[in-house]
Amino acid sequence: RISKEKMLDHLIKVLYELKRNNCKVHLKILGSGECKQELIVQSEKLGVDGMITFRGWVPNGILPTYLQNADCFVSPLTGGALREAALCGLPIIAYKHDWIADMLQSGVDYIGVQSNDYKAFAQAIMSLSKDIDKQVFLSRNIREFANNIWSDKYLVKALHFIDSNQGKPIKL
């Protein structure tokens, strides 16, 4: 979904920094929403419109194909999309806020960047693009994390735990 709270305008500013550093990348934005036209105008003003494809809405059954063909997943503000990228084993670059900073370790499971630091975000992309070992390391770690937390096996265990503890207080 393309909406203001996703902070996709930040990625366009990151693309501008990448362009200034002669880094050849291409951003694919999947989804639709009310902010698409604003993002198109912003990308044209910054001269990065040729570095972005707005794909539109993608059915869930096709989404893994897009993710598996990507080199990494970038997102200022993440939610379900991060989970999907993690399950596909994509290296992830994201802001260090939201629930991510509490669950994941920057440099181990993903690359965390301070909010609103477009230059640091661009630098993280440039650095990762040149470091195959780091890509493999992050990919392996985030996929393992995702499989432990969000897999169907975990869901079965969680549901069994809930069923077996009905009526009993659960200690957190």
Side-chain angles (χ1 to χ4, degrees):
R1 180 175 48 105
I2 299 175
S3 58
K4 282 198 185 289
E5 66 266 10
K6 297 285 185 176
M7 300 163 57
L8 295 173
D9 59 312
H10 292 218
L11 291 181
I12 294 172
K13 293 171 185 172
V14 169
L15 281 179
Y16 177 74
E17 293 298 327
L18 291 166
K19 181 180 177 181
R20 289 182 53 218
N21 285 283
N22 297 313
C23 185
K24 305 265 187 238
V25 298
H26 193 85
L27 175 66
K28 292 181 184 173
I29 297 178
L30 306 179
S32 59
E34 70 275 1
C35 293
K36 180 180 175 182
Q37 192 57 42
E38 291 174 35
L39 295 173
I40 290 170
V41 169
Q42 179 188 11
S43 68
E44 289 170 349
K45 283 182 181 175
L46 293 177
V48 297
D49 49 309
M51 299 170 71
I52 303 173
T53 298
F54 290 91
R55 172 56 181 85
W57 179 81
V58 174
N60 286 334
I62 297 172
L63 184 59
T65 302
Y66 278 94
L67 292 170
Q68 291 164 350
N69 287 313
D71 294 319
C72 73
F73 177 81
V74 295
S75 180
L77 184 69
T78 62
L82 179 133
R83 180 182 60 243
E84 294 156 352
L87 286 165
C88 288
L90 276 177
I92 294 168
I93 302 173
Y95 282 159
K96 290 182 192 176
H97 63 83
D98 204 24
W99 56 275
I100 297 173
D102 294 333
M103 288 184 73
L104 303 177
Q105 290 182 295
S106 183
V108 176
D109 302 310
Y110 82 117
I111 296 174
V113 179
Q114 291 301 321
S115 295
N116 303 314
D117 192 341
Y118 313 124
K119 288 181 182 182
F121 208 119
Q123 184 58 48
I125 292 169
M126 290 185 289
S127 177
L128 184 63
S129 72
K130 297 174 188 171
D131 190 341
I132 300 298
D133 291 337
K134 185 72 167 180
Q135 292 172 28
V136 171
F137 176 77
L138 291 171
S139 176
R140 184 185 66 235
N141 289 348
I142 197 63
R143 185 184 302 245
E144 183 179 325
F145 175 85
N147 284 329
N148 287 333
I149 297 297
W150 296 307
S151 72
D152 55 348
K153 291 177 187 174
Y154 178 80
L155 179 60
V156 169
K157 287 181 194 176
L159 292 172
H160 176 72
F161 176 80
I162 291 168
D163 286 343
S164 65
N165 287 292
Q166 281 186 332
K168 299 176 190 170
I170 299 174
K171 292 184 180 181
L172 300 177

